[in-house]
Amino acid sequence: AALKGKVWRFQVSAALKEGRVTPGELCQRCLALVRSTSFLNAYITVAEETALKQAEESERRYKRGQPLGVLDGIPVAVKDNFNTAGIETTCASNMLKGYISPYNATVVQKLLDQGAVLLGKTNLDEFAMGSGSTDGVFGPVRNPWSYSRQYKEKSVPKSHSEDEESNWVITGGSSGGSAAAVSSFTCFAALGSDTGGSTRNPAAHCGVVGLKPTYGLISRHGLIPLVNSMDVPGILTRCVDDAAVVLGSLAGHDPKDSTTIQDNFKPFELPDLPDVSKLSIGIPKEYQAPGLSSEILALWSKAADLFKNAGAKVIEVSLPHTRYSIVCYHVLCTAEVASNMARFDGLEYGHRSEINKSTESMYAATRREGFNDVVRGRILSGNYFLLKQNYENYFIKAQKVRRLIANDFLKVFGSGVDILLTPTTLSDAVPYMEFIKEDNRTRSAQDDILTQAANMAGLPAINVPTALSERGLPIGLQFIGRSFQEKQLLTVAKWFEKQVKFPMIQLEEVKRPNHNVFQHEKSASFS
């Protein structure tokens, strides 16, 4: 079942077709892993009953020889800011705790239509506002690599108890639950959302592939909005091929989302032996940002050399407005947040305060009780930027700067560059106790710096796990492509993935009911 070497590839989809494993068995094994890794806090809701029922239906289709596609019977997880009919959708908040949506988000429905088995909803920062997956009401997500042999061998705690309580590292965010779920083998693919890097950032810290597609390629219908003009559903998998398969199932026009492309999307297969020799790879000099670790800088340089040695043209390029990008992003982000959060007023759905002396007092108390400080802070900032006397100076100016940032990318791609190669994060994952020393606003400004420009320009970008740091933690690099050129982007990412041969996580502390039955769960690929 497994090939010898650094990566065990058990093609689960093929195994399902050939009857070597049934969807029910696969689902049971993944659910057992979810239970044994519950200390990671990756899941908010585990939909065990629903998942087993979906697995049974999948099993019947396989017995008839009529699977719905490559995703039939494959266990997946979904970030808890996508609406799911019959399963609680909380956004990790008091405001929506207990809320059950009457409908599925389009991306969730498409997964179910392909026969995927939905294991549950994953943890996040409250309303996806954060870069650590530490600010939700259900508590922080722990990075599976905190419990890996690779990390434990490199970290030298003063005592065992200190190791347990203060040495674990964050997942990044805000889709940290989805990244941890994929990284710890509890599912084969997961959905995140990406507004300023919320899929790519945790993917980098958890050693998985994180794809942010072009804005408009995948429907946002049913994704609880943060910043409508930047939000994109993201895809987290253990290899690039799997990301391409999931993208093929989700992409295309949705009449319920007017921002989706009108053209039909044709799913594609990536070549087995990608050729990068005819490509031009751009290295943006502005991404050598303050705070970038020397380790990541060296890895970025090595990656550029890999392309050069393969015959690709590697050139330094300039995206001059990048330095204004993070400030511009936070003005636009908070302004749209203020608008989007207005719907949570305690009248139609979600939490309603018992303080009801007047409608105004009920509104105020509901929002005070339902939102954490981070969400309230962003609402306050956004409303300030949208005040009549500030609108021109802040919001309109930020929109103009956003256009300049997008034009920088257009110029670079117009000059013949095919793909941009950049770091994804400034460093590897930091310990939780260190991360919480700084406030959410400061952390987000630092952690989004290398990722949010792709959201401002609406471009596709992907994190590819590249190597382990000196501390034994994952480091990823980011590829940014031209609009709607996902095939080229993923082809380059696949070539790079093959070159770097990122090591498999060796989880030591997972209490498994039967170690051997999980061998193929550790596969890189289901496709």
Side-chain angles (χ1 to χ4, degrees):
L3 296 176
K4 287 180 182 174
K6 283 190 181 174
V7 175
W8 288 346
R9 268 190 184 278
F10 186 104
Q11 296 181 328
V12 178
S13 197
L16 286 166
K17 279 178 195 162
E18 292 160 19
R20 282 182 281 158
V21 65
T22 68
E25 287 168 346
L26 197 58
C27 181
Q28 289 278 18
R29 292 172 190 182
C30 285
L31 286 168
L33 265 180
V34 171
R35 286 190 288 272
S36 66
T37 58
S38 60
F39 59 89
L40 297 175
N41 205 22
Y43 289 82
I44 290 173
T45 305
V46 180
E48 186 162 343
E49 205 176 304
T50 313
L52 290 169
K53 194 176 170 189
Q54 289 167 355
E56 263 178 51
E57 289 166 6
S58 174
E59 211 160 305
R60 285 197 285 273
R61 288 191 293 271
Y62 274 106
K63 278 178 182 166
R64 292 198 304 268
Q66 297 171 330
L68 295 170
V70 76
L71 289 178
D72 206 338
I74 300 292
V76 299
V78 171
K79 187 176 180 180
D80 203 20
N81 59 345
F82 287 92
N83 282 313
T84 44
I87 302 171
E88 197 177 355
T89 300
T90 69
C91 284
S93 69
N94 282 321
M95 184 62 84
L96 286 178
K97 203 185 268 185
Y99 171 69
I100 295 176
S101 166
Y103 70 97
N104 282 322
T106 297
V107 283
V108 173
Q109 192 58 54
K110 283 188 171 187
L111 286 175
L112 297 176
D113 290 345
Q114 288 277 315
V117 174
L118 178 57
L119 294 182
K121 307 292 287 295
T122 59
N123 206 345
L124 63 153
D125 288 297
E126 184 167 323
F127 281 101
M129 297 185 205
S131 60
S133 301
T134 57
D135 283 326
V137 295
F138 300 100
V141 186
R142 297 184 178 217
N143 192 323
W145 284 85
S146 309
Y147 305 93
S148 70
R149 189 177 302 159
Q150 293 100 319
Y151 178 61
K152 292 198 160 193
E153 283 172 358
K154 299 285 174 73
S155 61
V156 187
K158 288 173 190 168
S159 68
H160 182 69
S161 60
E162 185 194 70
D163 176 30
E164 287 301 306
E165 290 313 308
S166 63
N167 226 27
W168 62 271
V169 298
I170 60 155
T171 54
S174 60
S175 310
S178 288
V182 173
S183 176
S184 59
F185 312 118
T186 61
C187 63
F188 289 87
L191 293 184
S193 60
D194 197 309
T195 306
S198 283
T199 292
R200 289 158 289 153
N201 175 290
H205 287 324
C206 293
V208 297
V209 171
L211 172 66
K212 169 226 169 301
T214 306
Y215 182 83
L217 186 61
I218 295 184
S219 171
R220 291 181 296 112
H221 174 71
L223 166 60
I224 294 171
L226 178 65
V227 182
N228 304 59
S229 68
M230 297 183 212
D231 293 344
V232 183
I235 296 165
L236 294 125
T237 57
R238 287 199 285 277
C239 70
V240 175
D241 273 320
D242 288 357
V245 170
V246 178
L247 179 69
S249 302
L250 302 182
H253 179 66
D254 178 14
K256 292 173 182 164
D257 178 2
S258 60
T259 60
T260 50
I261 51 165
Q262 296 299 314
D263 306 334
N264 287 328
F265 177 81
K266 288 180 184 171
F268 51 79
E269 275 189 33
L270 300 177
D272 281 333
L273 297 167
D275 177 22
V276 297
S277 62
K278 295 178 180 68
L279 293 179
S280 176
I281 308 293
I283 310 292
K285 62 182 182 185
E286 288 81 8
Y287 279 62
Q288 200 167 326
L292 184 67
S293 77
S294 54
E295 245 185 320
I296 292 184
L297 188 59
L299 202 62
W300 186 17
S301 181
K302 274 186 193 170
D305 290 340
L306 272 178
F307 281 99
K308 209 177 283 181
N309 296 337
K313 188 178 171 189
V314 178
I315 50 171
E316 185 178 80
V317 296
S318 178
L319 299 163
H321 294 94
T322 300
R323 64 199 178 105
Y324 308 113
S325 188
I326 196 74
V327 179
C328 172
Y329 168 74
H330 277 280
V331 171
L332 297 175
C333 174
T334 53
E336 291 198 42
V337 161
S339 172
N340 278 322
M341 293 292 134
R343 73 193 69 195
F344 301 107
D345 54 15
L347 291 180
E348 293 168 84
Y349 44 74
H351 173 70
R352 180 189 287 203
S353 175
E354 290 179 8
I355 297 170
N356 56 5
K357 288 175 188 170
S358 67
T359 307
E360 285 76 15
S361 66
M362 190 273 288
Y363 277 168
T366 293
R367 290 162 73 79
R368 185 176 64 250
E369 294 163 14
F371 294 141
N372 69 6
D373 290 348
V374 174
V375 177
R376 292 205 305 273
R378 290 203 193 186
I379 292 169
L380 192 66
S381 301
N383 280 321
Y384 174 80
F385 295 139
L386 293 172
L387 287 173
K388 189 179 178 183
Q389 64 265 36
N390 297 333
Y391 188 75
E392 288 281 338
N393 279 338
Y394 288 98
F395 187 72
I396 296 298
K397 198 177 278 184
Q399 289 286 32
K400 289 175 178 175
V401 175
R402 181 180 184 176
R403 173 62 63 195
L404 295 173
I405 291 161
N407 285 344
D408 283 349
F409 284 103
L410 285 175
K411 279 176 196 165
V412 165
F413 288 130
S415 71
V417 169
D418 297 296
I419 299 282
L420 295 172
L421 168 63
T422 80
T424 310
T425 55
L426 293 171
S427 68
D428 58 5
V430 298
Y432 172 71
M433 298 308 287
E434 190 183 315
F435 184 82
I436 58 171
K437 284 176 186 171
E438 287 182 297
D439 65 280
N440 179 291
R441 170 78 179 75
T442 307
R443 270 291 176 194
S444 295
Q446 290 168 353
D447 297 337
D448 293 344
I449 203 157
L450 301 170
T451 49
Q452 45 73 38
N455 296 81
M456 303 263 272
L459 298 171
I462 188 169
N463 171 76
V464 180
T466 305
L468 295 184
S469 69
E470 287 169 4
R471 294 164 62 221
L473 294 170
I475 294 173
L477 291 178
Q478 174 179 235
F479 295 92
I480 303 172
R482 302 166 189 247
S483 280
F484 301 107
Q485 296 299 311
E486 268 76 3
K487 185 173 183 181
Q488 184 183 56
L489 177 69
L490 288 164
T491 300
V492 170
K494 180 178 175 177
W495 178 88
F496 185 69
E497 177 185 61
K498 282 191 164 190
Q499 304 304 307
V500 296
K501 298 182 176 69
F502 183 75
M504 181 83 60
I505 186 173
Q506 294 166 9
L507 278 174
E508 284 201 317
E509 301 225 344
V510 181
K511 292 170 186 163
R512 297 175 177 178
N514 177 350
H515 182 75
N516 293 327
V517 298
F518 290 99
Q519 278 197 353
H520 72 266
E521 245 82 359
K522 296 179 104 175
S523 64
S525 165
F526 62 74
S527 53

